[in-house]
Amino acid sequence: MRYGSVPGRLFRVQLTLTKTRLRITVSDPRGERMPRPRRPSPRDKHGRGLLIVRALAARWGVRERTVGKEIWAELDLTASPTEP
């Protein structure tokens, strides 16, 4: 979200929860460059966000919007045991 913001324009975070998954969607107005995972050097201070998303999410992706882009990730939920 650090590089997707434009002064005077907002980004949006949307959470969708179902019985089986949590979907996290972040959209912003910057669309001139689509994000992709990189391989930062150990000295780089930035550039690990999508690597973390890829490691934690069951599914994720990036899509262009009319204005800007949207990055989404889905986490599969496991059923918790019920209390007796």
Side-chain angles (χ1 to χ4, degrees), residues 6-25:
V6 174
R9 308 242 352 237
L10 301 175
F11 62 89
R12 183 173 98 176
V13 177
Q14 180 178 358
L15 303 175
T16 305
L17 179 64
T18 69
K19 289 183 179 185
T20 59
R21 73 174 177 235
L22 171 64
R23 182 181 179 107
I24 304 161
T25 306

Side-chain angles (χ1 to χ4, degrees), residues 11-60:
F11 62 89
R12 183 173 98 176
V13 177
Q14 180 178 358
L15 303 175
T16 305
L17 179 64
T18 69
K19 289 183 179 185
T20 59
R21 73 174 177 235
L22 171 64
R23 182 181 179 107
I24 304 161
T25 306
V26 178
S27 57
D28 66 55
R30 306 237 14 213
E32 58 272 2
R33 190 178 73 186
M34 299 304 279
R36 59 180 175 75
R38 337 179 300 161
R39 295 197 184 274
S41 77
R43 286 184 245 139
D44 286 340
K45 295 182 180 181
H46 308 287
R48 293 172 180 81
L50 285 181
L51 294 176
I52 294 168
V53 168
R54 186 168 64 180
L56 297 176
R59 291 160 300 285
W60 71 276

